[in-house]
Amino acid sequence: MIREDYIMRIIHEAVRTLLKLLFGIEEEKEEEIVLSDAVTAEKYKRLCQLARQGQINQAENQLWEQLDGADQEDFKMAILFYEYLNQMTDEQLEQGDYSREEISQGLLAAAKQYGYDGMVGALLS
């Protein structure tokens, strides 16, 4: 339990730092963060809906199908998606056959696709 809480805090702080450094976003609440592209915002809503329904792996698969390594708005969507998962309870993640470690790995993999893996790796270690 303590380990899971620690991982949750580390992921949250990594996300917060990325949003501030890369996008100039200082807000603490995910719902205050706006995706400027309406299409990307709609994709994000669908991913979160799938995750809420316990289909976390399916949502993550769809995320990866949609990521465009050149579109920073897609990277922001990925960051927000992994933060959304990070806010779920351990029970919700377990029901979706997912873990905090997978959130961390997914965030790092997304960062690698956009060339920020060194930064994210340092934040998550």
Side-chain angles (χ1 to χ4, degrees):
M1 179 65 119
I2 292 173
R3 175 171 161 63
E4 296 299 315
D5 289 342
Y6 174 75
I7 294 170
M8 186 178 186
R9 281 195 330 270
I10 293 295
I11 293 168
H12 175 72
E13 289 304 316
V15 165
R16 195 169 147 239
T17 301
L18 283 171
L19 290 173
K20 182 171 181 157
L21 291 176
L22 301 178
F23 302 103
I25 298 171
E26 295 188 38
E27 286 85 8
E28 293 271 339
K29 296 181 181 174
E30 173 262 329
E31 55 270 3
E32 294 177 7
I33 299 170
V34 177
L35 290 161
S36 58
D37 178 27
V39 173
T40 305
E42 186 57 38
K43 289 178 193 176
Y44 174 71
K45 287 179 187 176
R46 281 185 297 211
L47 295 173
C48 292
Q49 182 179 15
L50 279 172
R52 265 192 312 277
Q53 295 170 347
Q55 299 174 25
I56 300 171
N57 287 300
Q58 182 180 350
E60 185 180 43
N61 290 342
Q62 284 187 18
L63 170 72
W64 282 99
E65 290 169 5
Q66 299 171 27
L67 285 183
D68 172 359
D71 186 344
Q72 290 294 309
E73 197 70 2
D74 279 355
F75 184 42
K76 187 192 307 182
M77 175 181 65
I79 293 168
L80 293 174
F81 175 71
Y82 285 112
E83 176 64 2
Y84 180 82
L85 295 182
N86 194 45
Q87 298 304 315
M88 296 177 101
T89 66
D90 292 338
E91 292 77 27
Q92 289 171 309
L93 291 173
E94 192 174 301
Q95 287 173 354
D97 194 29
Y98 212 77
S99 69
R100 299 251 176 247
E101 287 82 12
E102 288 175 290
I103 296 170
S104 180
Q105 292 166 359
L107 184 58
L108 184 58
K112 184 174 184 176
Q113 183 167 346
Y114 288 86
Y116 298 111
D117 50 320
M119 181 191 320
V120 173
L123 292 168
L124 292 175
S125 61

